[in-house]
Amino acid sequence: MSSLPVEPVPSPTPLAAVRSGVPEHGEPPKYFQVKQKIDAVLEELGPGAALPTERQFADRFGVSRMTVRQAIRELRLEGRVQRSGRSSVAGRPKLVQPLTLASYTEGVRRQGREPGRELIEFERLAADAALATGLQVEIGAPVYHLERLLLADEERVGLESTYLSAARFPALIDEFDPTTSLYAHLRGIGVVFADADERIETVLGSPREVQLIGTSPALPMLLLNRVTRDRQGRPVECVRSLFRGDRFSFTAHLTAEEE
């Protein structure tokens, strides 16, 4: 069975902050003013272009290198600036992932990027209390744990752990290629996805997660926990996905509830 078509979710245009960051009393901090000026330079340079040095920015804007360094640090956390060797370059636009029942592969390809996955673990575990509740199995029941690095154009952008009932999918570890889309595989064996509950929060990665993704311990991450169900209401998977906050944003289409 081929993958079901997924309608793209339009992304709203980001709006500028009210009064450009000016506090209620007085002028914005000097580093913030410099940050805005550097941000304008980034728009002129375009993605991937090398930035002037801290000293060049300091001379250009008449401030200290420490002020420039703080401004660039914030821009790096926001994904506007990236490291390239020992230099800093203008960052690429963030990947915009819709909150829909589409796979990571489908979402990234829609944006003209090449998705990829790198296998970390594919193992059989005993379900703890949380997994037993999420997958509706007994505590201690066998589950598969699939942990993979998420790539976009070969850049590490996230880390995903997926848990599935081994009793429901006994041949998964033998038949599934972990470098490909799990959703496409499950659809191919007859699973029809219906709905999911998802929770999103910001976290800092653990030392292991930071090492695997290859980023800074100070970089905020977006953590998604999801339980996906089929048309019969049975849980298909429990997923824990960690995305780089400087490389990802998420969109959702909202509708009003009937009163």
Side-chain angles (χ1 to χ4, degrees):
M1 180 184 296
S2 61
S3 298
L4 297 176
V6 180
E7 291 296 326
V9 177
S11 177
T13 302
L15 303 178
V18 176
R19 299 178 62 206
S20 301
V22 180
E24 290 302 318
H25 303 286
E27 293 292 320
K30 186 171 291 186
Y31 86 88
F32 190 86
Q33 297 178 50
V34 172
K35 176 185 171 184
Q36 290 180 305
K37 294 175 181 177
I38 296 176
D39 199 35
V41 172
L42 295 174
E43 290 291 339
E44 296 175 2
L45 291 175
L51 267 65
T53 65
E54 289 181 1
R55 182 177 296 279
Q56 289 172 324
F57 272 135
D59 292 342
R60 180 172 176 176
F61 300 132
V63 296
S64 69
R65 289 181 64 181
M66 179 130 349
T67 299
V68 172
R69 189 171 298 129
Q70 184 176 357
I72 291 177
R73 185 183 302 119
E74 287 206 0
L75 289 167
R76 185 173 293 120
L77 289 174
E78 294 172 4
R80 297 287 290 136
V81 171
Q82 292 179 273
R83 287 282 191 190
S84 179
R86 294 185 178 181
S87 303
S88 294
V89 300
R92 298 182 65 177
K94 288 187 179 183
L95 287 158
V96 182
Q97 192 82 334
L99 293 174
T100 62
L101 280 177
S103 72
Y104 170 79
T105 298
E106 295 164 338
V108 172
R109 279 182 177 158
R110 278 202 303 266
Q111 297 170 72
R113 307 283 294 276
E114 183 59 35
R117 291 180 171 86
E118 183 179 318
L119 180 64
I120 303 298
E121 295 279 358
F122 199 175
E123 57 188 344
R124 184 176 168 128
L125 303 173
D128 59 15
L131 282 175
T133 299
L135 293 173
Q136 294 182 10
V137 298
E138 297 291 330
I139 294 177
V143 298
Y144 287 127
H145 170 223
L146 176 62
E147 183 181 37
R148 297 180 292 178
L149 278 170
L150 302 178
L151 313 176
D153 293 338
E154 299 186 353
E155 177 188 16
R156 299 180 181 187
V157 294
L159 182 67
E160 182 178 79
S161 281
T162 305
Y163 300 87
L164 306 97
S165 168
R168 182 172 182 183
F169 303 107
L172 185 70
I173 201 165
D174 297 317
E175 297 180 351
F176 173 60
D177 177 357
T179 65
T180 63
S181 168
L182 177 62
Y183 275 28
H185 174 80
L186 294 177
R187 288 175 180 140
I189 60 175
V191 174
V192 179
F193 296 99
D195 66 90
D197 291 316
E198 192 156 49
R199 174 176 174 170
I200 305 174
E201 55 189 306
T202 56
V203 298
L204 294 177
S206 70
R208 176 180 180 272
E209 291 165 338
V210 166
Q211 183 179 28
L212 285 172
I213 299 173
T215 189
S216 165
L219 179 71
M221 301 279 194
L222 295 168
L223 174 63
L224 283 69
N225 281 285
R226 171 188 282 191
V227 177
T228 310
R229 289 175 290 270
D230 61 18
R231 286 184 177 173
Q232 288 71 47
R234 296 179 298 169
V236 176
E237 60 173 3
C238 291
V239 184
R240 182 185 188 276
S241 301
L242 195 65
F243 294 94
R244 287 177 53 167
D246 64 335
R247 304 305 300 132
F248 261 87
S249 65
F250 292 88
T251 62
H253 175 69
L254 308 179
T255 58
E257 292 186 355
E258 295 184 3
E259 297 183 0

